[in-house]
Amino acid sequence: MPAPDVAAINAALANVNDPEIRKPITELKMVESVRVGDDGKVGVTILLTVASCPMKGELSRSVTDAVAAVEGVTDVEIQLGVMTDAQRTELRQHLRGDAPANEIPFAQPGSRTRVYAVASGKGGVGKSSVTVNLAVALAQRGLSVGVLDADIYGFSVPRMLGTTGKPTQVEQMILPPISHGVKVISIGMFTPGNTAVVWRGPMLHRALQQFLADVFWGDLDVLLMDLPPGTGDIAISVAQLVPSAELLVVTTPQLAAREVAERAGSIALQTHQQIVGVVENMSWLELPDGSRMELFGSGGGQAVADSLSITTGTRVPLLGQVPIDQDVRVGGDDGTPVVLSNPASAAAQALNAVADQLAKRQTSLVGRPLGLAPAR
């Protein structure tokens, strides 16, 4: 059997993506050397971004599988090295280009990322559950999706997405963990155990700014931001840092939740944001006989949508009603959202229907350069 072709091996390596950056390892200059023996044994040295890279096992398996599939290869040996400081700096420049270190990509005129800030007037309405399920549902539709857990005090997204890994830092750039095909960042990834975060407004603003600017999100189609309840510092900071972010308001049918949800949505008048729509959660409980028990009343979601339509002078639709389902709670505790664990359930179908509407939504061209020049 002839010795494996080096060009064929390099071509195979070009099809291997770094599991964190999601780009070919050859493009990222992570392949230091390829050695081919007469007996068909191939040795590959891969440079990790950092020695403690949490995905090095997955990367090694992907490289081994790719090289082993090349004709003539009888065995593959992987050696792992670590990039030098100069190589990491070059990698960061390759990924970020000439953009300033503190530049927020989603706030730039040319950004094609749809940013949805998921808001609620009060806690306990299932805002985080809606956020993670919509994120996974959108990722299942082939979109590149990120979730930013902006609820600094009450972070819960890592558990709900089953994220146990820590972010990797390359120079001043943070590589977010990926779970169920979704990139995710949360302050909970930086705090030991269940430690409480006790910060005032300026610290909250700085943390949000870092999550938006320092995290390498890549070319996202959709970024979902799980906001804390109410109209406090984070909601104001989001409007300042990402003016193009649209509000997605979550409420329950009950009167108390409905009133505060309207207040949360009406902040759009002061921040000049658009409201993409309203999601009514915990709409009813389906009983074994097929009937519905409306534990929290009815009509709250539509009432919020109608009120916000009048207040803002624009059409604010009710995007969906999500029934009470124990699988939603179980999935949140287990880290497998219900759209994955039980897609046939009524709650999953309702959430998927909302995701369909968000996936089809066209990005606004307001404020974006079109690259047009007047004809002579």
Side-chain angles (χ1 to χ4, degrees), residues 133 140 286 323 325 327-328 337-352:
N133 276 282
Q140 287 182 308
E286 292 194 3
D325 192 326
D327 286 341
V328 176
V338 70
V339 294
L340 286 177
S341 63
N342 189 4
S345 66
Q349 291 180 19
L351 289 162
N352 273 310

Side-chain angles (χ1 to χ4, degrees), residues 87-334:
Q87 289 172 320
R88 279 192 287 269
T89 299
E90 184 181 355
L91 172 63
R92 183 188 179 282
Q93 291 175 341
H94 171 72
L95 295 175
R96 285 287 178 86
D98 296 328
N102 61 347
E103 181 180 272
I104 297 174
F106 314 113
Q108 304 311 304
S111 174
R112 303 294 295 173
T113 303
R114 287 164 283 175
V115 181
Y116 298 123
V118 186
S120 67
K122 62 190 294 294
V125 300
K127 171 179 50 60
S128 298
S129 295
V130 170
T131 300
V132 298
N133 276 282
L134 289 178
V136 172
L138 289 167
Q140 287 182 308
R141 285 153 178 75
L143 299 178
S144 178
V145 183
V147 171
L148 193 160
D149 188 355
D151 194 349
I152 304 296
Y153 297 143
F155 55 86
S156 58
V157 168
R159 172 176 290 278
M160 289 186 169
L161 280 175
T163 308
T164 57
K166 299 293 184 181
T168 301
Q169 184 165 346
V170 178
E171 295 294 305
Q172 299 300 313
M173 184 174 62
I174 301 172
L175 304 181
I178 299 174
S179 181
H180 306 304
V182 175
K183 295 182 178 180
V184 56
I185 198 72
S186 170
I187 196 65
M189 298 172 180
F190 300 90
T191 57
N194 199 30
T195 306
V197 177
V198 186
W199 288 347
R200 291 187 182 272
M203 289 289 289
L204 299 176
H205 182 89
R206 178 57 183 154
L208 182 62
Q209 186 177 37
Q210 281 193 285
F211 284 163
L212 288 166
D214 294 352
V215 172
F216 177 71
W217 293 102
D219 298 323
L220 290 185
D221 294 306
V222 178
L223 175 67
L224 290 162
M225 303 177 67
D226 184 26
L227 304 187
T231 56
D233 292 309
I234 289 292
I236 297 171
S237 292
V238 167
Q240 292 175 342
L241 297 172
V242 192
S244 61
E246 299 177 80
L247 293 178
L248 177 63
V249 180
V250 179
T251 185
T252 58
Q254 70 187 102
L255 179 62
R258 186 171 69 201
E259 289 177 342
V260 291
E262 291 173 5
R263 292 199 293 269
S266 63
I267 193 178
L269 286 176
Q270 302 175 50
T271 59
H272 307 290
Q273 292 172 286
Q274 291 186 341
I275 303 176
V276 65
V278 176
V279 174
E280 182 187 272
N281 197 26
M282 308 180 195
S283 298
W284 59 76
L285 174 65
E286 292 194 3
L287 301 178
D289 62 0
S291 62
R292 296 177 175 178
M293 179 184 293
E294 295 173 336
L295 295 175
F296 300 108
S298 63
Q302 188 62 62
V304 171
D306 293 342
S307 175
L308 291 177
S309 295
I310 295 173
T311 303
T312 61
T314 60
R315 178 179 175 272
V316 177
L318 175 63
L319 297 177
Q321 295 174 286
V322 183
I324 298 173
D325 192 326
Q326 185 177 5
D327 286 341
V328 176
R329 192 273 304 167
V330 173
D333 290 343
D334 294 345

Side-chain angles (χ1 to χ4, degrees), residues 365 368-376:
L365 294 178
R368 301 181 187 276
L370 300 180
L372 303 179
R376 292 186 180 275

Side-chain angles (χ1 to χ4, degrees), residues 18-23 28 30 49 91 95 175 183 216:
D18 178 85
E20 290 181 301
I21 304 176
R22 298 295 180 94
K23 289 182 178 292
L28 302 176
M30 297 176 67
T49 52
L91 172 63
L95 295 175
L175 304 181
K183 295 182 178 180
F216 177 71

